Amino acid sequence: MDLKMALEECSIALNLFLNNKFSEALDRLRPWAKESMYHALGYSTILVMQAAMTFEHQDIQRGISTMKDALHTCQRFRKKNTVVESISNLVTKQASEQLKEEEMHAEICYAECLLQKAALTFVQDENMINFIKGGLKIRTSYQIYKECQQLLNMTQDLDSKNETYSQFEGGVKLGIGAFNLMLSLLPGRILRLLEFIGFSGNREFGLSQLREGAATHSLRAVLCVLTLLMYHTYVSLILGTGEGNLVEAEALLEPYLDKFPNGSIILFYAARIAVLKGNFERAEVKFQECIASQQEWKQIHHLCYWELMWSHSFQRQWLEAYRYADLLCKESKWSKAIYMFQKAAILSMLPDDEVKKTGENIVELFRQVEGLKQRIAGKSIPTEKFAVRKARRYLPSNPVKLVVPALEMMYVWNGFTIVGKRADLTEGLLITIEKAEEQLRCDPNPTEYHPDDQCLVQMLKGLCLKHLGRLMQSELCFTQVVASEKMIRYDHYLVPFSLYELGLLYKQQGDFQKAIRFIENAKLNYKDYSMESRLHFRIHAALNSLKSSPATTP
C-alpha cells in the first residue's frame, strides 16, 4: 500500500461516506488502518464524527482509542528529526529531498489526528487536566501546520510537483484555514491569552486558504467546503452578527448536490441554506429528504429535528414545533436540558386546551430541566445554565409563568435574524409579543419578575420592529430596557444585549461612531450575566465589521 494507492482508496471511502454508505466506508478503511496513515486518519475521523454526533460515552471512548492508534500509525512515518530541522535544511538550500514525500504527508496527517483527539478529549472528561492536555495537543497541531505551511511556501517553485504533492497542499490549506478562522472568532481577552502561547488568527486569510483548498481536487477539498459551509450557515449566525455569505455557500454546495444528490450531509446543508434565506417551506421538504435518505446515522435525523423545530417556531406552528422538540427529548443525547426546556417553552405558547390534548404538564417539564444539566471539561454549558435559571421560576409550589419563553430562546440562537427575512412572519411574532406586553400591563398582581418580563418583551419587540424597518420605534424599545436597568432583578443579560442591539441599529443607519460607542459600552461595563461569552463573540464580530466599514476609516 503506497501513498498514491492509499490516497485513491481513501477517495473511494470518502465517496461512500458522502453517499450515506457509512459502514461500507469504514469497512474499506479498517483493514489498513494500522498500516497506512491515510487509512488510519480516514477511519478514525469517521468514528470521531460519529462520537461527536451521538455523545454516547462508549462512542467517545472508541473515537479516542482509534485516534490513539491513528497517531501511532502516523508517527511511524514521520521523519525522526523534527520538521524544524528539515525546514532549516531547506533554507540552507540543501536538496528538498530532505523531507521525503511520505514524511510530509505523515506530518499533516499527524497534526489532523492530534486536533481531532484534542477536541474529543474536551468532550470526554470533566477535569481540568484533560482540558490542559487538549490545549497542548492543539498547540502542537498548530505548530506542525505552521511548519508545513513554510515547507509548502518553499517548495512552491519545484518542478517535481505531482498528484500527491497537491494532496499535501490540500491538507495544509485545510489546517491553516480552519485554525485561522477558528481563532479569528475568539473575543479579544481570550485571544490575548492564546497569542501569549503563540496562536494568532486572521479571518480573511483563513477563509482564503479554505477557498483555495476547496477549489483543489484533493481529498480534503470537501472538508474545506464543509468547514466553509459550517462557518457561513452556523458559526457566523450563533457567534457573529448573522452575516454569513449565502451566495458563496450555495456556490460551494452546488457541485456536491449534483454529485451526491441523496447524500444526507449535502442535503442537510441545502436545507439549512433555505432556512437562512427565509424559505422555510422549501427547507422543510429538504430536511424530510435528508431524513429519508439514510437510516444508519440517526444523529443526522436529530440535527434535522432541531432545525424543523425552529422552522415551525418561526412560523408560530407551535404544535408541529412541539412534536420535534418531543422527538429530540426522547432520542438525542446532545443536551437533554435544552430539549426539555425547549419543549416546555414551545408548549407555553399554546392555549391551555391545546396543551391538555398533548397530555403534557408544562410545570413538570420545567421542573425536570435542572436535573438534566451536564458539564463539559468541568464547565456547565452557557445555554443550559440559562435554561436552568429560567426554569427555576417553576420550582415553588406557586410557579410564576415565563412570558414568551420560546421567543426568548429564539433570540438566544439568533433566530430573529432569520425570521427577519420574512416580513409576514415577523408581523406574526410582533402580534404575539404585543399580546404579552398587554397582559403584563394589565396584570393586577405583578410578581417580583414583572420588571424583567417587561424588559424582555420590549427587547424582543424592538427586534421585530427593526426587521420591519420601523427603526425609530425599535430604538425606543431598546432604550427603554437600558433605562430600566435598576429595576431588573434576575435577567441582567437584557441590558448589555439591548446596548449591543442599539449599536447594530445605529450601524444600520450609518452612524458608525455611535454604534461603536454603544457596543463598547456593552463590552466593557457589564459582566457576570447569562450568556456573556456568546455576547462577547457577537460583539467581537460586530466591532470587526464596524472597524472595517469604509465610513469609519478617516
Side-chain angles (χ1 to χ4, degrees):
M1 178 70 64
D2 64 1
L3 190 59
K4 192 162 175 290
M5 207 159 118
L7 285 161
E8 281 165 15
E9 281 268 302
C10 288
S11 180
I12 294 167
L14 183 63
N15 283 348
L16 287 168
F17 181 80
L18 292 170
N19 265 322
N20 310 324
K21 298 187 170 125
F22 307 121
S23 299
E24 284 178 48
L26 286 168
D27 292 343
R28 187 103 201 183
L29 296 166
R30 192 182 296 110
W32 287 92
K34 296 260 167 69
E35 313 300 322
S36 144
M37 58 181 138
Y38 271 101
H39 285 72
L41 173 65
Y43 183 65
S44 54
T45 298
I46 294 176
L47 291 180
V48 165
M49 277 180 79
Q50 196 171 13
M53 283 178 155
T54 63
F55 241 54
E56 294 275 0
H57 184 68
Q58 72 238 41
D59 287 349
I60 292 172
Q61 289 302 107
R62 188 170 160 223
I64 286 176
S65 84
T66 322
M67 257 312 157
K68 276 185 186 156
D69 294 345
L71 283 165
H72 192 71
T73 306
C74 296
Q75 182 64 42
R76 292 211 314 271
F77 292 94
R78 292 176 77 201
K79 193 169 176 66
K80 295 303 168 264
N81 65 342
T82 66
V83 186
V84 184
E85 289 170 37
S86 312
I87 288 172
S88 58
N89 289 340
L90 276 176
V91 179
T92 56
K93 293 283 180 286
Q94 287 189 4
S96 69
E97 275 73 64
Q98 279 293 335
L99 206 57
K100 292 198 200 73
E101 198 170 37
E102 203 167 54
E103 291 165 348
M104 284 162 64
H105 283 267
E107 288 301 323
I108 213 84
C109 290
Y110 188 78
E112 220 164 294
C113 288
L114 261 186
L115 192 57
Q116 293 184 36
K117 183 163 181 282
L120 261 197
T121 310
F122 277 161
V123 172
Q124 171 217 15
D125 201 3
E126 297 166 8
N127 66 41
M128 207 54 203
I129 300 292
N130 270 355
F131 206 72
I132 293 164
K133 269 192 198 160
L136 291 172
K137 283 194 190 77
I138 289 178
R139 185 166 178 233
T140 309
S141 168
Y142 181 66
Q143 284 168 329
I144 295 174
Y145 274 123
K146 281 175 80 171
E147 286 158 4
C148 287
Q149 193 188 20
Q150 281 178 276
L151 189 64
L152 196 63
N153 294 343
M154 289 171 191
T155 49
Q156 280 299 0
D157 326 323
L158 290 182
D159 303 327
S160 59
K161 283 190 208 163
N162 54 13
E163 171 56 27
T164 48
Y165 180 85
S166 72
Q167 294 285 359
F168 171 72
E169 192 172 17
V172 175
K173 290 196 182 303
L174 171 67
I176 289 287
F179 257 116
N180 270 281
L181 191 55
M182 201 166 65
L183 291 165
S184 74
L185 294 166
L186 297 174
R189 54 191 181 165
I190 304 173
L191 203 57
R192 278 193 292 280
L193 280 174
L194 290 175
E195 281 168 350
F196 178 66
I197 54 169
F199 284 106
S200 59
N202 176 326
R203 178 168 319 183
E204 285 316 311
F205 179 63
L207 287 170
S208 73
Q209 289 289 296
L210 288 166
R211 284 176 190 131
E212 286 171 25
T216 63
H217 295 292
S218 81
L219 253 184
R220 292 175 178 95
V222 69
L223 298 176
C224 291
V225 167
L226 292 174
T227 307
L228 284 165
L229 286 172
M230 183 74 179
Y231 174 71
H232 289 315
T233 61
Y234 279 102
V235 178
S236 63
L237 205 88
I238 294 165
L239 300 180
T241 51
E243 291 157 9
N245 184 339
L246 294 184
V247 176
E248 177 173 26
E250 281 191 297
L252 286 164
L253 197 61
E254 202 174 332
Y256 291 95
L257 269 170
D258 292 341
K259 197 174 173 189
F260 306 104
N262 297 314
S264 54
I265 293 170
I266 305 302
L267 281 169
F268 178 79
Y269 275 113
R272 175 67 183 170
I273 290 169
V275 166
L276 294 180
K277 291 170 87 172
N279 191 344
F280 305 125
E281 297 78 7
R282 175 181 156 77
E284 281 158 26
V285 172
K286 283 283 166 209
F287 283 125
Q288 296 299 353
E289 280 178 32
C290 176
I291 291 167
S293 71
Q294 59 88 33
Q295 295 303 314
E296 194 181 334
W297 276 21
K298 286 282 194 223
Q299 299 73 38
I300 295 176
H301 295 185
H302 300 157
L303 293 173
C304 294
Y305 297 161
W306 173 259
E307 289 295 334
L308 284 161
M309 174 188 82
W310 282 116
S311 185
H312 287 298
S313 297
F314 295 152
Q315 299 168 83
R316 293 186 305 153
Q317 297 164 347
W318 300 115
L319 216 50
E320 286 86 346
Y322 153 72
R323 292 206 181 97
Y324 287 109
D326 188 42
L327 274 170
L328 285 167
C329 273
K330 288 176 177 149
E331 292 183 19
S332 173
K333 284 265 173 36
W334 247 84
S335 172
K336 292 278 191 195
I338 291 288
Y339 298 147
M340 187 62 74
F341 184 86
Q342 204 71 44
K343 180 163 118 170
I346 288 167
L347 286 168
S348 305
M349 307 301 291
L350 285 165
D352 291 345
D353 52 332
E354 295 248 8
V355 178
K356 274 204 182 73
K357 285 183 206 160
T358 65
E360 300 276 13
N361 179 331
I362 293 177
V363 174
E364 284 311 309
L365 294 177
F366 276 123
R367 282 177 179 167
Q368 288 176 55
V369 174
E370 188 151 12
L372 296 169
K373 190 174 77 160
Q374 52 189 341
R375 296 172 82 78
I376 292 180
K379 294 261 189 215
S380 303
I381 303 159
T383 30
E384 285 198 351
K385 260 170 53 181
F386 180 72
V388 166
R389 201 169 286 152
K390 298 298 290 187
R392 282 193 188 135
R393 278 166 63 159
Y394 289 84
L395 295 178
S397 49
N398 51 337
V400 182
K401 277 177 143 177
L402 290 165
V403 290
V404 295
L407 302 190
E408 186 173 15
M409 281 313 255
M410 194 183 285
Y411 177 65
V412 166
W413 296 102
N414 220 345
F416 282 84
T417 312
I418 301 171
V419 187
K421 305 252 169 56
R422 290 272 296 268
D424 55 335
L425 299 177
T426 308
E427 288 279 7
L429 289 178
L430 185 59
I431 291 166
T432 303
I433 290 165
E434 285 178 334
K435 222 179 264 173
E437 183 184 24
E438 186 56 28
Q439 278 171 343
L440 285 168
R441 193 184 297 122
C442 305
D443 190 347
N445 333 303
T447 68
E448 56 183 327
Y449 296 102
H450 197 258
D452 298 52
D453 290 347
Q454 281 184 309
C455 287
L456 169 65
V457 166
Q458 284 310 310
M459 184 176 83
L460 299 179
K461 185 177 171 182
L463 287 161
C464 291
L465 292 166
K466 175 179 113 169
H467 288 296
L468 290 167
R470 291 151 67 180
L471 303 187
M472 291 264 302
Q473 287 168 282
S474 167
E475 183 179 352
L476 282 173
C477 290
F478 296 135
T479 310
Q480 196 176 325
V481 179
V482 177
S484 312
E485 181 173 355
K486 295 271 188 291
M487 292 156 68
I488 293 175
R489 297 188 58 173
Y490 299 99
D491 292 330
H492 300 292
Y493 84 96
L494 291 168
V495 177
F497 274 87
S498 293
L499 284 166
Y500 162 77
E501 292 297 344
L502 272 168
L504 292 186
L505 195 64
Y506 296 132
K507 177 192 172 189
Q508 195 179 328
Q509 293 167 308
D511 191 340
F512 294 116
Q513 296 308 325
K514 204 169 180 185
I516 290 173
R517 198 167 73 242
F518 273 80
I519 294 172
E520 290 275 8
N521 181 3
K523 176 182 166 179
L524 300 171
N525 297 324
Y526 295 85
K527 57 176 199 284
D528 304 327
Y529 51 87
S530 293
M531 283 169 323
E532 186 176 348
S533 58
R534 184 164 294 198
L535 182 58
H536 277 275
F537 274 104
R538 289 185 188 172
I539 285 172
H540 176 67
L543 289 174
N544 267 355
S545 72
L546 274 162
K547 284 167 186 168
S548 59
S549 298
T552 59
T553 45

